[in-house]
Amino acid sequence: MQATFDAHALKPFTRALTCLSRYGEELCIYASSETLSLFCTNSSKSAYCRFKFNKEFFSRYRVGDPAKGTNDSAMGQLMAKSLLSILKHKTVESTLERCEISIVEGVSSEESTDETQDGLESKLIVRLHCRHSVIKTHKLLLLGSTSLIAPGVPDSSNETLLRIGPRAIRDIIEQFSLPKGAKSDPQLIWTFAEAEVAVRSLESSIDTRGKAQLATELFISADEFDLYNLYEAPTTIAFHLREFNATIAFAELCGLGLDIRFTDPAEPLFIDVEGDNFETLFVISTSHPPNSSAQVRLAPSGPKKRLREDTPADSTRFRKPTKVVQSTTDLGQDTTPARIAASPLSMPLPQVAPTSVSQRSNFPQDQDVMTTSRLSQQKPPLFLPTPSQLSDSDKAVLRESGLGIKHTSVEGCNEMFETHGLEMNCKSIELRAAWDG
Amino acid sequence: MSQAEILPVLKASVHDVRYFSALLRGVNFANRATVTVTEKGLLVVVEESRTLLGTAYIFSDVFDEFIYNPETPENKGSQPEQPTDEEELVSAFEIPLNNLLELLNIFGTAGGSVSAKHGRFKAWQKPGDELDDDDSDGGGEGEGDQQEGRANKKKSGQFFGSGSERKTGMRLTYIGPGYPLTVIVAEDATGPTTTCEIATFDAESHLELPFDSEQMVLKIILKSSWLRDALSELDPSCDKLTFIGNPASEPDAGLHPVKQRRIRMQDAPNFRIEATGTFGNTEMDYPNDRDVLESFECETPVKFSYRFSHIARTIRALQTSVKTSLRIDNEGLLSLQFLMPTPVSRMHQGKGTSNFIEFRCLALEEDA
């Protein structure tokens, strides 16, 4: 893979890298014939960040070698900080004329006799051409990408869509005097009502230093948002700020607005930022704010894991953030909408990695409602467009299968659950039915 | 001998310590420094792991007053060695260098790397100016620490650009072996003064790394900013640094100059800095462009490696220096000479000798 970009494309690229390095430590690069993706997950897998650069972003972009018939994708993993420190240097920013990034695969049998080929490991080569013909070549070793990860797909039927400019959201966050530091991981609780939004800082009796924290609550009108499509009011979600701040900082530097989508509390939050020849996706896990009575949980699979998080016994106990990503083997195909499972059951599944596999595969045989046996293969490459982007024919397929969300009845759901002896909170089904109604 | 007749071996004073402390800071990488006093000035030598040798040559015109009274044999007392060379008598002692530097910066104004144009520095100083002189001590301390750590981004020409700031003046007195080095530091005559006595130790013989100019295989003179940028861009985790020189192949003089230049550019780079570490490796290529390499002499391809941590010690000196001369001899001994900007001297009206800092480093043994 070889990509070249010039000095003015360096800025968004380094901004992306800065944001990625704030999300997680290891950065994955995936180059396909049309796009270059950089993505990473944080250590607890509760936040995911992906930047996709179209090939128009680069002045030159080539993947694979058509003559040799190598597969047209390249992939590797490296430390985000190393790449960032190379590109974000002050001298680089002022003297760079163009930058070439290439991935050289390790296995080279018939490759050229270039002395730079190592032959053992894959390398990411960053070649900076600076003023006065000074050339700086950095060769970074690529770690073998062992497990690919991708986020779960949101179910958009009950999704709330908000659009807000970065300055406005930054003003909101700034009001909170939150402890800064590596050890603190502040959370904010957002309550979305019809016409206003209440943002509250999470109260905990003591913070890390044993001092009582200041609790802040602020109300903003929904007019601050450029778009405010709330699915159901009121909705309350809580999520951690560390990654959210990185996203806001990126959006602000690039001057782009944020599209925030979320469904239920405890389903992850999706943020889209689209720019000039690139698009980004951020997924942040959310949780129920403690002391809240709502216990809406769809946990058809992996009940053990979920129930543990459910117990509100100790409301001030730190809640483990839910995973937003899962392992996947197929990373490139983001254009197969038919693979989406539109059922409410499978929607939360992607967040619980291994246990979901076996459970889900039970359904097709018994119920014959799942669209295809493809699901049982458990290979949903989850760079999938949201269901709202499904083509009409695919929508028809889903509707036919009888499991469109809007057509599920309470009885049908309960039946399903009882058959499999799964614990279900019937209250939640009733609520869902109310939405469908 | 009468007590009243003892003249101090060294008496030196300067009204603004910034230049002096910048030179000292360049070699401040080890605990102890050996200071050698000669007629011409001071030599501050620091050594690390028997491999790296840093020397700061501070000529007497840095000081406003520099009086050297070489020790006579009677005064020396029990010293076994006696300077017997005809050229000049020297006195040497060892001191902990960082103590001296901290002392010089006690009022916070000895960080010559930050000029008045640096906004933050100015903001701090302004309240300090209004306060009583007694308070400036405490305030200066904190700022001084910050300055020590801050990299010098300004050109060294700005040393003397700010006339409105408070300058720290200093007077050095060294009576002789066995006596401490007395340093009096003050901002101005009316303000508080600090007197400090730094214990001196007998000078031990330090590592000698003679550089034979006859055996030189590579000589480059370049602006310090290039080398400084290169070193700062390298990943700090790398462990080996290699300098590679390729002789410039001269294309036919008969060819068109543009074509000549193209041929020159396409060849192997004249000067390459390679760094290897756990992350991978980095290569920086510098062409034989006059803007980059002011002078380049290399007959045969040269390649020598050094431990990165040693070369990294030179970054401090690089920050204040203007030009760098890089020489390697046939055994790989690297000699880096950093030329400091010329000081404005009171003694010789504007004709001060340039001071420089020299680093010598032994090469790593290459596995064949």
Side-chain angles (χ1 to χ4, degrees):
Chain A
M1 184 279 283
Q2 225 178 337
T4 309
F5 58 85
D6 59 6
H8 94 91
L10 179 70
K11 266 227 155 57
F13 200 75
T14 38
R15 283 182 198 142
L17 284 177
T18 315
C19 187
L20 283 161
S21 67
R22 283 170 75 171
Y23 264 77
E25 286 191 2
E26 281 190 358
L27 170 68
C28 265
I29 297 186
Y30 177 76
S32 73
S33 48
E34 292 297 314
T35 60
L36 175 73
S37 301
L38 307 170
F39 53 93
C40 81
T41 318
N42 73 350
S43 51
S44 54
K45 294 209 168 44
S46 62
Y48 168 89
C49 170
R50 180 192 73 210
F51 288 81
K52 234 202 282 195
F53 295 94
N54 298 338
K55 70 176 188 193
E56 289 77 27
F57 181 81
F58 304 98
S59 46
R60 205 189 314 168
Y61 187 77
R62 179 178 68 85
V63 173
D65 199 341
K68 291 189 182 147
T70 48
N71 61 339
D72 57 343
S73 70
M75 180 147 53
Q77 252 184 345
L78 69 155
M79 304 299 286
K81 290 226 156 45
S82 351
L83 191 55
L84 183 64
S85 61
I86 292 174
L87 290 175
K88 203 183 164 162
H89 204 267
K90 57 183 181 342
T91 46
V92 169
E93 283 165 5
S94 52
T95 61
L96 184 70
E97 287 176 358
R98 71 176 190 280
C99 170
E100 279 170 16
I101 299 187
S102 42
I103 295 185
V104 172
E105 299 289 337
V107 264
S108 59
S109 49
E110 73 273 36
E111 293 295 339
S112 63
T113 52
D114 191 356
E115 70 213 353
T116 56
Q117 294 274 15
D118 194 342
L120 281 176
E121 289 139 337
S122 300
K123 287 205 176 101
L124 179 82
I125 302 182
V126 180
R127 187 163 265 145
L128 304 164
H129 294 259
C130 305
R131 269 207 313 244
H132 300 124
S133 315
V134 175
I135 302 176
K136 300 183 185 168
T137 312
H138 297 261
K139 294 185 191 157
L140 302 171
L141 296 172
L142 285 178
L143 314 163
S145 45
T146 48
S147 61
L148 309 174
I149 45 180
V153 175
D155 162 39
S156 75
S157 64
N158 60 336
E159 151 183 296
T160 297
L161 173 65
L162 310 170
R163 188 169 298 156
I164 187 169
R167 198 70 54 81
I169 191 118
R170 170 92 111 117
D171 289 340
I172 297 174
I173 306 282
E174 258 175 6
Q175 302 300 325
F176 292 87
S177 60
L178 299 160
K180 293 198 169 37
K183 290 228 170 86
S184 78
D185 199 4
Q187 277 196 62
L188 284 186
I189 303 172
W190 301 65
T191 307
F192 296 91
E194 283 296 330
E196 69 172 10
V197 180
V199 189
R200 191 161 37 102
S201 63
L202 183 65
E203 289 171 25
S204 59
S205 51
I206 49 169
D207 70 355
T208 48
R209 275 178 304 172
K211 290 193 233 165
Q213 265 186 346
L214 178 68
T216 312
E217 183 165 4
L218 85 90
F219 295 88
I220 55 168
S221 118
D223 299 331
E224 295 286 327
F225 292 81
D226 300 331
L227 194 60
Y228 193 81
N229 290 346
L230 193 60
Y231 187 82
E232 195 228 358
T235 314
T236 305
I237 58 173
F239 55 87
H240 288 267
L241 273 189
R242 185 183 296 158
E243 290 86 16
F244 194 61
N245 279 338
T247 304
I248 295 175
F250 172 76
E252 200 178 356
L253 283 173
C254 293
L256 302 165
L258 301 136
D259 280 356
I260 305 177
R261 285 175 289 132
F262 57 88
T263 55
D264 299 321
E267 301 308 331
L269 185 88
F270 290 80
I271 305 176
D272 285 311
V273 180
E274 209 172 297
D276 202 11
N277 277 324
F278 66 89
E279 57 186 39
T280 66
L281 171 71
F282 304 91
V283 185
I284 300 177
S285 76
T286 64
S287 57
H288 269 300
N291 300 324
S292 122
S293 54
Q295 287 298 318
V296 180
R297 287 300 177 119
L298 295 175
S301 65
K304 292 200 187 96
K305 266 200 181 172
R306 284 308 193 92
L307 284 174
R308 187 181 51 183
E309 286 159 6
D310 253 357
T311 44
D314 183 1
S315 57
T316 55
R317 185 169 52 111
F318 177 65
R319 289 175 173 274
K320 231 169 127 178
T322 54
K323 289 194 197 300
V324 300
V325 294
Q326 71 153 46
S327 298
T328 176
T329 51
D330 194 359
L331 201 61
Q333 278 95 335
D334 33 280
T335 53
T336 43
R339 291 202 189 193
I340 297 171
S343 79
L345 305 172
S346 55
M347 185 245 306
L349 286 179
Q351 295 159 13
V352 182
T355 51
S356 64
V357 181
S358 49
Q359 305 256 352
R360 200 194 296 197
S361 56
N362 286 335
F363 291 159
Q365 289 89 17
D366 290 331
Q367 300 298 325
D368 195 23
V369 288
M370 292 301 179
T371 6
T372 63
S373 57
R374 282 181 255 165
L375 283 166
S376 61
Q377 282 172 14
Q378 186 35 208
K379 279 192 196 323
L382 295 167
F383 282 151
L384 298 171
T386 59
S388 54
Q389 296 169 22
L390 284 179
S391 62
D392 281 334
S393 57
D394 296 315
K395 278 194 183 138
V397 167
L398 290 170
R399 237 175 270 129
E400 255 173 10
S401 68
L403 203 66
I405 292 174
K406 297 205 167 34
H407 304 287
T408 307
S409 66
V410 178
E411 295 77 22
C413 276
N414 276 340
E415 212 179 65
M416 263 195 284
F417 297 138
E418 276 154 21
T419 320
H420 293 277
L422 290 165
E423 299 285 325
M424 254 332 292
N425 190 341
C426 291
K427 190 171 172 202
S428 68
I429 296 296
E430 281 157 19
L431 280 172
R432 193 160 274 281
W435 294 336
D436 299 334
Chain B
M1 58 186 178
S2 58
Q3 289 287 341
E5 295 297 332
I6 289 186
L7 292 171
V9 168
L10 170 67
K11 201 160 106 165
S13 75
V14 68
H15 74 285
D16 188 351
V17 296
R18 279 182 299 178
Y19 195 73
F20 179 54
S21 52
L23 287 171
L24 290 180
R25 222 176 286 124
V27 285
N28 183 26
F29 55 82
N31 253 341
R32 295 272 195 84
T34 306
V35 179
T36 308
V37 190
T38 69
E39 282 285 344
K40 301 225 183 69
L42 296 180
L43 242 85
V44 181
V45 177
V46 183
E47 175 202 315
E48 188 186 9
S49 21
R50 307 301 283 177
T51 314
L52 180 69
L53 188 70
T55 313
Y57 294 84
I58 305 174
F59 290 102
S60 54
D61 48 23
V62 168
F63 302 95
D64 300 333
E65 177 196 1
F66 188 88
I67 301 170
Y68 172 51
N69 301 303
E71 301 152 36
T72 56
E74 305 96 64
N75 286 356
K76 282 237 172 162
S78 58
Q79 274 256 2
E81 295 166 31
Q82 307 207 354
T84 51
D85 19 49
E86 310 78 4
E87 308 117 7
E88 55 190 322
L89 302 167
V90 298
S91 307
F93 53 88
E94 274 188 23
I95 50 164
L97 191 59
N98 50 345
N99 287 2
L100 178 60
L101 273 172
E102 278 176 24
L103 170 67
L104 291 177
N105 199 30
I106 203 164
F107 293 115
T109 51
S113 52
V114 182
S115 70
K117 297 206 179 75
H118 200 291
R120 224 171 119 205
F121 178 63
K122 195 166 189 181
W124 187 261
Q125 272 305 97
K126 275 213 172 111
D129 283 346
E130 268 111 46
L131 290 172
D132 282 344
D133 284 347
D134 309 293
D135 296 301
S136 70
D137 208 346
E141 195 99 76
E143 178 67 18
D145 288 352
Q146 292 170 32
Q147 283 173 36
E148 291 281 11
R150 244 197 297 234
N152 173 23
K153 292 190 182 81
K154 314 288 180 190
K155 290 191 282 233
S156 11
Q158 284 174 3
F159 262 123
F160 301 95
S162 49
S164 58
E165 287 174 6
R166 299 242 173 138
K167 298 187 188 46
T168 308
M170 164 205 79
R171 171 176 291 267
L172 258 178
T173 315
Y174 175 61
I175 299 177
Y179 291 89
L181 181 72
T182 310
V183 185
I184 303 173
V185 181
E187 272 197 317
D188 52 43
T190 57
T193 59
T194 306
T195 311
C196 184
E197 295 184 340
I198 302 179
T200 60
F201 302 84
D202 286 339
E204 315 244 330
S205 61
H206 56 75
L207 179 69
E208 295 272 342
L209 292 175
F211 190 91
D212 190 351
S213 300
E214 305 293 317
Q215 304 289 340
M216 188 169 66
V217 292
L218 176 67
K219 176 170 173 186
I220 299 175
I221 296 184
L222 72 165
K223 281 213 258 296
S224 298
S225 54
W226 290 105
L227 194 56
R228 180 180 67 225
D229 293 339
L231 287 181
S232 55
E233 276 179 42
L234 292 174
D235 194 305
S237 70
C238 53
D239 40 38
K240 196 166 86 162
L241 194 67
T242 307
F243 291 113
I244 298 176
N246 291 307
S249 59
E250 278 304 318
D252 286 332
L255 286 178
H256 195 270
V258 174
K259 228 177 177 177
Q260 276 188 27
R261 188 183 164 82
R262 203 178 306 148
I263 290 176
R264 219 181 279 137
M265 290 302 160
Q266 278 167 2
D267 287 336
N270 287 119
F271 181 53
R272 172 182 279 197
I273 302 178
E274 234 182 68
T276 40
T278 47
F279 63 96
N281 72 339
T282 299
E283 292 162 8
M284 301 196 182
D285 301 331
Y286 297 89
N288 193 7
D289 194 347
R290 285 288 162 273
D291 293 333
V292 180
L293 304 177
E294 287 180 17
S295 110
F296 181 79
E297 285 170 32
C298 178
E299 301 298 317
T300 60
V302 174
K303 180 175 176 178
F304 285 105
S305 302
Y306 305 90
R307 202 180 284 279
F308 182 71
S309 54
H310 291 152
I311 308 293
R313 301 278 186 220
T314 66
I315 289 184
R316 267 294 182 68
L318 265 174
Q319 281 161 359
T320 35
S321 104
V322 177
K323 267 203 210 159
T324 301
S325 141
L326 188 150
R327 299 176 302 160
I328 304 184
D329 76 359
N330 61 341
E331 285 180 2
L333 176 63
L334 169 73
S335 155
L336 284 164
Q337 288 173 334
F338 305 111
L339 191 70
M340 297 292 156
T342 29
V344 169
S345 164
R346 277 188 193 170
M347 298 203 321
H348 318 271
Q349 295 301 322
K351 210 171 54 98
T353 345
S354 290
N355 300 277
F356 61 100
I357 296 184
E358 179 171 15
F359 279 83
R360 297 221 178 129
C361 186
L362 291 171
L364 290 175
E365 297 289 329
E366 291 288 335
D367 303 324

